[in-house]
């Protein structure tokens, strides 16, 4: 079968290619550039824990040495500290990393992947699709035709794929603008990120604004200054003045020494594509949505797009078109991103003092600062990833369904589990392989060799139920899980979202939930999975 064509070699496109390759789907990545990324210290991204986990699982490398995990966060208004957060094991800090470092580690992993071809200097200019596949043409030094099974547009805000499919991209332009500088210096808050609103050295007018400081490795900081509305030119002189003024204000004295590494202007747009799928052509990342005002981050959502789409596209690639499953990608992801866009757009008038909700929503300045900090920290209505509670893949009411610490449609906790070969592994290490995960909560099993309890108690019945599922599944066992009683059975999607939790072994409920999670398994898929499982001896 033809490979999947991915247009765009940014973080989302590279992540999707890796995720598909891990599920034995060949890909071609069309890269408009030369195949490497120019270092830009002022172009950075903030990744929450789920995004970091995804990239590290796919690349097999740690991002911690390339990026910086904040020791804490502080919000300030004038000279007063309004909020302080200290991060730890139970509350991991976001990871701040230069985008070229992130794409570099993704490219390095792809270079070792035989199923992925990266075509440099290949700019897409036409797409044709038929019932059986997609044909794409690229221009450049090696302009040629490419044949694929599906095509995914990960080609950014000005997506050629989106335009060729005539998909509308409504929204708002220049919701916010920031002047940006990356510099090496020492600040009073070692390792802490901060949000400083209405700094005392800028006391009036729209330019009073706010400053965000985020540390990077090697003593580098990225500073962002919110600019007043309008299209005033941001000159080098203006940026240097902002740097000196800010460093002097924070030092409460003379200007500390600094090395200016990079500058830029970051303009935030809010847009959402009307459709994310047209037949065999799909959109992901900035090609499908733009957000980022009030501290929210767009790349997090782009990486979640890739994680959500990869297993569904892999199943369709291996077993033939599965329309309900592919359609669920738009339903789940577009709904989640739309909720964050609505929250940011509703909060903007309140937080920026432009009227609107300010007249109806009570709250002090301290409360406003806390709401804005949530956007930066990936919390609350502005920053937290959405749940897929209304997903078309959610099963109907099941008689044996019980509640655990994880609501259905949200990521499962990363607990230690016993794998089928008897080894102890992290649950997240079993994700992204295309298989459903069935997790039994069985206290005490950790102290016994697996061979002693695989044939005892409820295990034979559960193992038989797992073998009969309409898709390949892996049976795992955990000593405990938050909010789950002994003998609770969790069904987990390949992307790590909880489908359901059942009280005990309920084969009919487990099968119904698995079938729903696949968008309604066809007979052909069931038979093919059963044959593959029997041949490989996989449960």
């Amino acid at each position: 079968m033809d490979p999947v064509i991915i247009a765009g070699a940014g973080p989302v496109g590279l992540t999707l290619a890796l995720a598909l390759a891990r599920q034995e789907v060949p890909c071609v990545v069309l890269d408009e550039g030369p195949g490497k990324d120019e270092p830009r210290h002022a172009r950075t991204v903030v990744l929450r824990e789920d995004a970091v986990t995804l990239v590290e699982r796919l690349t097999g490398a740690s991002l911690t040495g390339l990026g910086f995990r904040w020791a804490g966060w502080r919000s300030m208004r004038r000279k007063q500290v309004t909020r302080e957060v200290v991060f730890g094991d139970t509350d991991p800090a976001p990871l701040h990393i230069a985008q070229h470092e992130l794409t570099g580690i993704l490219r390095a992993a792809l270079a070792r992947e035989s199923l992925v071809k990266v075509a440099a200097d290949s700019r897409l200019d036409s797409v044709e699709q038929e019932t059986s596949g997609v044909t794409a043409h690229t221009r450049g030094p090696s302009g040629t035709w490419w044949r694929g099974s599906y095509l995914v547009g990960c080609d950014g805000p000005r997506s050629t794929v989106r335009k060729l499919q005539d998909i509308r991209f409504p929204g708002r332009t220049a919701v916010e603008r920031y002047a940006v500088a990356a510099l090496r210096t020492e600040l009073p808050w070692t390792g802490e990120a901060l949000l400083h609103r209405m700094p005392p050295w800028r006391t009036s007018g729209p330019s009073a604004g706010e400053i965000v400081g985020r540390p990077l490795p090697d003593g580098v900081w990225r500073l962002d200054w919110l600019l007043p509305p309008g299209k005033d030119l941001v000159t080098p002189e203006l940026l240097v003045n902002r740097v000196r003024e800010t460093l002097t204000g924070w030092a409460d004295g003379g200007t500390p020494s600094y090395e200016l590494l990079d500058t830029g202007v970051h303009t935030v747009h809010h847009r959402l594509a009307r459709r994310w799928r047209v037949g065999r052509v799909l959109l992901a990342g900035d090609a499908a949505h733009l957000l980022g005002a009030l501290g929210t981050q767009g790349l997090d959502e782009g990486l979640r797009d890739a994680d959500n789409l990869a297993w569904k596209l892999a199943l369709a690639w291996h077993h033939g078109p599965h329309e309900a499953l592919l359609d669920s990608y738009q339903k789940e992801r577009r709904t989640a991103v739309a909720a964050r866009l609505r929250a940011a757009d509703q909060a903007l008038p309140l937080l920026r003092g432009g009227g609107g909700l300010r007249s109806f929503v009570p709250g002090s300045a301290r409360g406003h600062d806390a709401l804005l900090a949530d956007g930066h920290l990936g919390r609350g209505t502005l920053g937290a990833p959405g749940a897929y509670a209304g997903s078309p893949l959610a099963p109907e009411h099941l008689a044996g369904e019980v509640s655990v610490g994880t609501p259905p449609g949200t990521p499962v906790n990363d607990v230690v589990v016993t794998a089928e070969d008897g080894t102890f592994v992290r649950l997240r290490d079993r994700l992204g392989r295309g298989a459903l995960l069935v997790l039994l909560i069985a206290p005490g099993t950790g102290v016994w060799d697996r061979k002693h309890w695989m044939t005892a108690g409820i295990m034979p019945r559960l193992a038989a139920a797992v073998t009969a599922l309409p898709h390949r599944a892996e049976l795992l066992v955990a000593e405990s899980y938050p909010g789950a009683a002994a003998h609770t059975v969790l069904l987990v999607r390949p992307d790590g979202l909880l489908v359901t939790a059942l009280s005990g072994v309920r084969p009919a409920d487990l099968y119904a939930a698995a079938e729903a999670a696949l968008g309604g398994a066809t007979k052909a898929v069931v038979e093919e999975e059963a044959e593959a499982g029997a041949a490989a001896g996989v449960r």
Side-chain angles (χ1 to χ4, degrees):
M1 190 172 177
D2 294 319
V4 172
I5 300 173
I6 299 172
V12 176
L14 298 175
T15 299
L16 178 60
L18 271 176
L20 287 171
R22 294 292 182 267
Q23 297 172 70
E24 300 181 350
V25 177
C27 304
V28 173
V29 180
L30 304 180
D31 186 355
E32 290 187 11
K36 60 181 180 179
D37 300 278
E38 178 186 356
R40 286 291 310 275
H41 291 88
R43 190 176 187 186
T44 65
V45 294
V46 178
L47 301 180
R48 276 65 184 193
E49 194 61 19
D50 64 321
V52 173
T53 297
L54 172 64
V55 174
E56 291 186 338
R57 169 164 54 82
L58 291 174
T59 61
S62 173
L63 296 182
T64 302
L66 299 174
F68 193 92
R69 286 192 181 271
W70 308 332
W73 169 274
R74 66 174 58 210
S75 297
M76 301 176 63
R77 175 175 284 267
R78 300 191 189 279
K79 294 185 178 182
Q80 181 183 10
V81 176
T82 59
R83 184 182 186 185
E84 288 189 275
V85 176
V86 177
F87 299 110
D89 293 339
T90 58
D91 184 17
L95 180 80
H96 186 209
I97 184 171
Q99 184 163 313
H100 70 269
E101 296 281 12
L102 177 61
T103 55
I105 199 170
L106 290 167
R107 287 184 184 275
L110 281 176
R112 302 187 297 269
E113 185 52 68
S114 61
L115 288 176
V116 179
K117 172 182 175 62
V118 179
D121 298 314
S122 298
R123 181 177 178 83
L124 183 74
D125 60 9
S126 71
V127 175
E128 300 174 4
Q129 62 171 311
E130 311 89 35
T131 304
S132 59
V134 179
T135 303
H137 184 265
T138 56
R139 66 174 185 265
S142 303
T144 187
W145 291 93
W146 302 88
R147 181 66 181 174
S149 54
Y150 295 89
L151 187 146
V152 185
C154 304
D155 48 345
R158 297 180 176 86
S159 171
T160 300
V161 175
R162 188 184 64 240
K163 293 172 183 175
L164 290 173
Q165 299 304 304
D166 196 26
I167 298 174
R168 293 184 59 202
F169 199 38
R172 296 198 294 151
T173 300
V175 177
E176 291 184 335
R177 279 202 318 153
Y178 293 87
V180 182
L183 55 131
R184 184 174 283 108
T185 189
E186 290 188 14
L187 295 182
W189 311 283
T190 303
E192 290 186 1
L194 72 148
L195 165 70
H196 197 168
R197 305 190 75 194
M198 302 181 69
W201 57 89
R202 305 186 70 85
T203 57
S204 63
S207 61
E210 66 192 36
I211 310 165
V212 180
R214 304 181 184 95
L216 285 161
D218 302 323
V220 176
W221 288 78
R222 169 172 164 166
L223 304 184
D224 293 47
W225 294 267
L226 178 65
L227 297 171
K231 298 182 179 180
D232 295 341
L233 183 66
V234 179
T235 64
E237 291 78 15
L238 184 147
L239 264 170
V240 170
N241 288 338
R242 288 288 177 102
V243 168
R244 290 175 176 171
E245 178 186 63
T246 300
L247 296 183
T248 302
W250 283 341
D252 199 21
T255 304
S257 61
Y258 68 92
E259 177 188 1
L260 188 60
L261 303 174
D262 192 16
T263 62
V265 176
H266 175 52
T267 303
V268 176
H269 310 290
H270 276 183
R271 296 189 178 277
L272 187 64
R274 292 289 191 194
R275 293 180 294 166
W276 291 25
R277 182 191 177 203
V278 179
R280 289 177 174 269
V281 178
L282 303 102
L283 301 178
D286 286 352
H289 50 77
L290 295 174
L291 69 163
L294 305 178
T296 60
Q297 289 286 322
L299 183 57
D300 287 74
E301 296 295 2
L303 296 179
R304 291 176 189 132
D305 294 345
D307 199 23
N308 185 287
L309 178 59
W311 73 274
K312 298 173 181 178
L313 206 52
L315 191 146
W317 192 90
H318 285 293
H319 304 293
H322 203 310
E323 300 304 313
L325 188 63
L326 291 178
D327 285 342
S328 73
Y329 164 66
Q330 172 177 312
K331 174 65 176 176
E332 290 181 340
R333 292 298 307 138
R334 191 177 187 278
T335 300
V337 174
R340 287 189 66 181
L341 277 170
R342 276 195 304 272
D345 284 341
Q346 290 172 353
L348 266 169
L350 174 68
L351 295 172
R352 299 303 184 220
L357 285 179
R358 191 181 183 88
S359 306
F360 304 99
V361 180
S364 64
R366 184 181 293 268
H368 297 171
D369 291 345
L371 181 62
L372 184 54
D374 282 344
H376 286 278
L377 298 178
R379 301 174 175 179
T381 56
L382 288 183
Y388 304 148
S391 168
L393 304 184
E396 298 292 334
H397 175 70
L398 304 171
E401 192 168 29
V402 294
S403 295
V404 295
T406 302
T410 61
V412 292
N413 290 63
D414 184 28
V415 297
V416 175
V417 299
T418 306
E420 292 188 341
D421 61 1
T423 59
F424 293 100
V425 295
R426 306 295 306 189
L427 179 57
R428 73 179 186 186
D429 294 335
R430 314 309 288 181
L431 302 177
R433 302 181 178 204
L436 295 170
L437 303 180
V438 178
L439 177 61
L440 171 67
I441 311 306
T445 51
V447 300
W448 298 96
D449 192 288
R450 184 179 175 90
K451 65 183 180 182
H452 294 306
W453 46 260
M454 270 301 293
T455 57
I458 64 173
M459 285 301 295
R461 187 166 178 239
L462 179 57
V466 170
T467 302
L469 292 179
H471 185 64
R472 180 169 57 91
E474 182 179 7
L475 177 56
L476 305 169
V477 179
E479 284 269 347
S480 63
Y481 187 89
H487 296 169
T488 299
V489 175
L490 278 61
L491 179 64
V492 182
R493 292 178 8 172
D495 57 352
L497 301 185
L498 180 67
V499 178
T500 190
L502 302 172
S503 59
V505 181
R506 296 174 176 265
D509 282 353
L510 188 62
Y511 188 98
E515 191 172 37
L518 300 171
T522 64
K523 182 179 180 181
V525 171
V526 173
E527 293 175 348
E528 191 172 350
E529 286 290 349
E531 292 174 1
V538 177
R539 284 177 180 161

